[in-house]
Amino acid sequence: FFIVVVSFVYKYYKTKKGITLKIRGIIVNIRQGDIFKANGWKVIPFNENFDTTVDDIVIAHSTLNGVFIDSYVEDIHELNNTIASEPDDDTEFKRYRRNNRIVYPLGRIIRYQEYMLLAFTHFDRNMAHLTQKDYEDCLRVMWAEISRTYANKPVFIPLLGSGITRFDGTPNKSGFDLLKCMLCTLRTSGENINKPITILLTREALEEINIYEIKGVK
């Protein structure tokens, strides 16, 4: 009994530092870390228009999107040109026009340098938002887009939806719910990705989420 208890406690505290799963043969790491220090593709969420104005109205300086543009984009014109000139030829998730603006389907990815820019939220009334269904659909499209664009390099993703994103008609989602949804949509996506995927959590998120339960250690 003592050995079983010690083993249980050891496994529990070991998972608090992060875990590695295999989902349909895809290696998935869940770790604490800074996405900007990662060595591979870094997924950065944008709104469906791929706006780049950081003014605490369209994009808040404190968000991952804002930090990326403020601190890691040297030439904003180059970024805007990359977004505007992205071809639709190789993807089924094509841009379209709505109210005289170009809109991208949620989940669409545009590559820029070492980043994967992700259309993640709707944006109107200066508010980034999506429904639970939008979130799940976005993740499914994202996995397909990552499979299309990852070019055999590791991919690093933040815990999507854990920032200031609003979920229409539902309470704010817990970090555990968001992480579980990311993993479930990957499991059901059918996509083949041959390099590790790492979901990076903040220290606060890692303390909140029982990743021991995610791993299913018994």
Side-chain angles (χ1 to χ4, degrees), residues 108-119:
R108 173 70 184 272
I109 281 175
I110 295 176
R111 294 189 300 183
Y112 170 73
Q113 297 180 359
E114 59 192 23
Y115 298 93
M116 288 182 169
L117 314 182
L118 171 69

Side-chain angles (χ1 to χ4, degrees):
F1 176 78
F2 176 76
I3 293 173
V4 170
V5 170
V6 169
S7 176
F8 181 89
V9 172
Y10 170 75
K11 289 178 180 178
Y12 177 81
Y13 282 102
K14 186 177 180 181
T15 58
K16 292 299 286 182
K17 296 182 179 180
I19 59 173
T20 297
L21 310 171
K22 267 200 172 183
I23 297 178
R24 293 185 299 97
I26 302 170
I27 296 173
V28 181
N29 303 305
I30 302 171
R31 300 278 187 272
Q32 178 185 338
D34 181 347
I35 195 167
F36 296 110
K37 296 179 180 178
N39 184 19
W41 291 112
K42 309 166 200 8
V43 175
I44 305 295
F46 277 68
N47 66 35
E48 63 189 346
N49 306 115
F50 282 104
D51 286 317
T52 60
T53 302
V54 184
D55 57 359
D56 284 332
I57 298 174
V58 177
I59 300 172
H61 289 279
S62 60
T63 62
L64 189 65
N65 192 183
V67 171
F68 165 66
I69 294 172
D70 282 342
S71 302
Y72 295 92
V73 174
E74 295 182 0
D75 187 340
I76 193 67
H77 299 293
E78 179 192 25
L79 173 61
N80 287 329
N81 288 337
T82 298
I83 293 170
S85 61
E86 173 75 4
D88 275 346
D89 299 343
D90 297 329
T91 178
E92 60 182 294
F93 309 107
K94 302 183 186 300
R95 74 189 86 189
Y96 58 95
R97 282 193 170 272
R98 185 177 68 215
N99 298 328
N100 294 320
R101 295 207 67 189
I102 293 176
V103 179
Y104 294 80
L106 299 188
R108 173 70 184 272
I109 281 175
I110 295 176
R111 294 189 300 183
Y112 170 73
Q113 297 180 359
E114 59 192 23
Y115 298 93
M116 288 182 169
L117 314 182
L118 171 69
F120 179 60
T121 62
H122 300 302
F123 188 76
D124 53 67
R125 304 183 305 278
N126 293 326
M127 183 175 67
H129 64 98
L130 74 173
T131 65
Q132 175 65 28
K133 183 179 185 302
D134 290 333
Y135 182 69
E136 294 173 7
D137 291 345
C138 174
L139 292 176
R140 292 188 182 96
V141 173
M142 180 190 74
W143 297 125
E145 285 285 274
I146 287 175
S147 179
R148 177 180 71 88
T149 59
Y150 80 109
N152 211 36
K153 292 170 55 178
V155 179
F156 295 81
I157 311 174
L159 183 61
L160 294 168
S162 61
I164 62 174
T165 301
R166 295 172 176 85
F167 283 86
D168 298 335
T170 58
N172 288 335
K173 299 294 182 182
S174 70
F176 180 86
D177 290 336
L178 296 172
L179 180 57
K180 186 176 179 181
C181 193
M182 291 180 71
L183 298 175
C184 287
T185 53
L186 176 60
R187 183 176 292 110
T188 59
S189 70
E191 301 298 335
N192 293 316
I193 299 170
N194 297 320
K195 287 293 183 179
I197 293 170
T198 301
I199 300 174
L200 290 173
L201 310 179
T202 63
R203 179 176 56 81
E204 293 77 13
L206 188 62
E207 290 176 352
E208 171 201 339
I209 296 172
N210 184 0
I211 57 175
Y212 179 77
E213 184 177 340
I214 287 285
K215 189 174 178 64
V217 178
K218 294 179 173 64

